[in-house]
Amino acid sequence: MSPTNRTVVVTGIGATTPLGGDSASTWEGLLAGRSGVKPLEGERFAELPVRIAAQAAVDPGEVLPRPLARKLDRSAQFALIAAREAWADAGYTAPAGTVASAADAAGASVVPERLGTVIASGIGGVTTLLDQYDVLKEKGVRRVSPHTVPMLMPNGPSANVGLEVNARAGVHTPVSACASGAEAIGYAVEMIRTGRADVVVAGGTEAAIHPLPIAAFANMMAMSKNNEDPTGASRPYDKGRDGFVLGEGAGVVVLESAEHAAARGARVYCEVLGQGLSADSHHIAQPEPTGRGVAAAVQNLLDNTGLDPAELVHLNAHATSTPQGDTAELKALRQVLGDDLDHIAISATKSMTGHLLGGAGGIETVATVLALYHRIAPPTINVHELDDDIDADIVRGEPRKLPVDGPISAINNSFGFGGHNVTLAFRTV
Amino acid sequence: MAATQEEIVEGLAEIVNEIAGIPVEDVEVGKSFTDDLDVDSLSMVEVVVAAEERFDVKIPDEDVKNLKTVGDAADYILKHQG
């Protein structure tokens, strides 16, 4: 088999989200239809037009030792927690190149030079930057933390996870706003396909719950101002939707060449069929209303991967709960998939987690992988009255069982300001 | 009132504990910040700034490189404190 068409599989998952501190509690929350959105307490949020967000269920400061946590931006803390879970879940007991068990000695680990990380966020260490500017103004130059630069740089989470697992094949951070996490996973797939690595830890993270980003997003008219009903505010596909709710956290997967996974007897969740990419070239922040760019990404996915539309039974949609974006995405899918859209159970998990920006592609990949593995699609909550423009099968209220027999496939969409469109496809094994 | 050598070592131990998580009882005069106490070059800047505040002393950047051990730092502070 040539190194350019190697099969890539998912062998580990990890997450820390508004629904739980790990992937199991997150998945349980998704199936239960639980909202992670809460009021933002504290004086610094009091004057904002938006005073709700989906904060992480478990504060990373409670998980990581303090001397480590204080050198990491919150986005890197989330990434490290999710990556540790995914790494252990994949069956790795120690950093690459370390012999920590009989299994490692028998060759069950990975060579550092064949291990990479690709973890991305939408806006990097924004809270570190803003907090340190406060320190500069209030306490002076000398008190600005010497850790500020490594904390605010957007590649910090990927680099810190790389240090943790001893990744030497490459440590990368593609940045494309809210598509960043999905683009990271796509990049990781290509690293394995093209033979640059055998194992890649990949995903997305974000920690931007701070008055400045909230004020800025709110002034773009992009956010829900439903402060009176936090748990009902994120409502993709509902007639009354009025914007996204900001979330925070991280989702990480361990991707591996099928040969490498088989050689060490790893548990395989599913295969990653590949990615479809495109750019809108329409507007810096508005979705292209006909869904042209999204359609092109999905068409690329069909043209360039082994995805069979007949097997496609589940979509984890981008669906952020904005009036324009939710409908444009489904129009584009109808354009490309035609009648095949009718057998796709569509879940908008942002109705529960909020929108994690660059973290979205990470946690929604974890959700998509688990949906295929358990053959069940999580619900979309808060759809009280379905938008008249929606002609597709939205999983509402309760989770939905997916076909139990034969191979099934799912896709996960992520789009970002700048006109970035990323769609990832997965298939049961 | 100026701090004694013993008080300075105690103070440094608390600072190193806060920054690097090393138990205070392990921070002894003979210990190297980088080799023994998990204080890298960036964290050393934090230790210095915290010590400056606590002991009312100025430690110029060019002097920091000479402060290899807890004892070096304690001696420096004892000599230069305000």
Side-chain angles (χ1 to χ4, degrees), chain A residues 80-169:
Chain A
L80 189 61
I81 291 166
R84 282 179 173 179
E85 183 194 349
W87 187 247
D89 187 52
Y92 291 114
T93 52
T98 313
V99 176
S101 67
D104 295 338
S109 192
V110 53
V111 179
E113 287 72 20
R114 303 291 301 161
L115 171 66
T117 65
V118 192
I119 294 176
S121 73
I123 40 184
V126 62
T127 58
T128 292
L129 183 63
L130 293 165
D131 290 348
Q132 290 300 316
Y133 187 53
D134 290 343
V135 171
L136 175 67
K137 284 184 296 179
E138 289 159 19
K139 297 179 179 167
V141 175
R142 191 72 173 154
R143 290 289 296 276
V144 171
S145 170
H147 302 292
T148 303
V149 170
M151 286 171 74
L152 73 86
M153 60 192 199
N155 53 315
S158 203
N160 278 293
V161 171
L163 286 168
E164 172 93 1
V165 296
N166 197 17
R168 300 186 189 179

Side-chain angles (χ1 to χ4, degrees), chain A residues 66-68 70-71 142-147 150, chain B residues 18-21 42-43 46 49 52-53 59 61:
Chain A
R66 193 166 40 85
L68 175 62
R70 64 199 299 283
K71 293 196 278 192
R142 191 72 173 154
R143 290 289 296 276
V144 171
S145 170
H147 302 292
Chain B
E18 168 73 21
I19 288 167
L42 296 183
S43 296
E46 290 186 285
V49 172
E52 285 184 337
E53 289 207 341
I59 309 177
D61 290 350

Side-chain angles (χ1 to χ4, degrees), chain A residues 107-416:
Chain A
S109 192
V110 53
V111 179
E113 287 72 20
R114 303 291 301 161
L115 171 66
T117 65
V118 192
I119 294 176
S121 73
I123 40 184
V126 62
T127 58
T128 292
L129 183 63
L130 293 165
D131 290 348
Q132 290 300 316
Y133 187 53
D134 290 343
V135 171
L136 175 67
K137 284 184 296 179
E138 289 159 19
K139 297 179 179 167
V141 175
R142 191 72 173 154
R143 290 289 296 276
V144 171
S145 170
H147 302 292
T148 303
V149 170
M151 286 171 74
L152 73 86
M153 60 192 199
N155 53 315
S158 203
N160 278 293
V161 171
L163 286 168
E164 172 93 1
V165 296
N166 197 17
R168 300 186 189 179
V171 167
H172 305 283
T173 304
V175 175
S176 49
C178 305
S180 300
E183 196 165 328
I185 291 166
Y187 190 102
V189 171
E190 295 308 314
M191 281 181 80
I192 297 172
R193 281 243 156 97
T194 55
R196 280 185 58 202
D198 293 324
V199 181
V200 182
V201 181
T205 185
E206 200 77 71
I209 299 178
H210 178 287
L212 187 93
I214 292 175
F217 278 122
N219 287 349
M220 295 177 84
M221 315 292 277
M223 297 184 91
S224 171
K225 296 184 175 71
N226 196 348
N227 296 307
E228 288 69 39
D229 181 18
T231 60
S234 184
R235 50 208 296 186
Y237 309 129
D238 184 77
K239 262 187 185 170
R241 67 190 185 276
D242 67 335
F244 77 86
V245 175
L246 185 59
E248 63 172 3
V252 171
V253 290
V254 174
L255 303 179
E256 198 153 347
S257 75
E259 300 95 312
H260 195 273
R264 67 185 188 91
R267 177 259 328 270
V268 171
Y269 283 100
C270 65
E271 179 184 349
V272 192
L273 292 170
Q275 60 179 329
L277 302 171
S278 76
D280 283 349
S281 195
H282 165 72
H283 186 274
I284 195 67
Q286 295 293 331
E288 201 282 325
T290 67
R292 179 190 70 212
V294 174
V298 177
Q299 189 63 56
N300 284 340
L301 183 72
L302 294 173
D303 293 346
N304 299 316
T305 69
L307 177 65
D308 175 0
E311 284 179 7
L312 193 50
V313 297
H314 174 54
L315 161 69
N316 190 306
H318 182 62
T320 62
S321 180
T322 59
Q324 280 192 46
D326 294 8
T327 45
E329 178 183 10
L330 295 181
K331 275 185 206 160
L333 287 164
R334 177 65 74 185
Q335 214 176 302
V336 180
L337 296 168
D339 291 346
D340 282 315
L341 184 61
D342 295 330
H343 54 74
I344 300 176
I346 299 171
S347 305
T349 49
K350 289 186 183 80
S351 59
M352 295 168 276
T353 63
H355 186 3
L356 276 72
L357 310 180
I363 68 162
E364 287 159 24
T365 288
V366 168
T368 308
V369 166
L370 286 173
L372 280 183
Y373 190 65
H374 296 297
R375 293 185 181 242
I376 188 164
T380 306
I381 65 166
N382 298 325
V383 190
H384 304 297
E385 205 176 342
L386 191 67
D387 188 314
D388 294 331
D389 279 346
I390 288 165
D391 169 29
D393 181 11
I394 311 298
V395 181
R396 290 166 65 175
E398 298 288 319
R400 170 104 51 91
K401 284 189 174 143
L402 297 173
V404 290
D405 295 318
I408 54 171
S409 299
I411 58 177
N412 171 26
N413 284 344
S414 293
F415 316 131

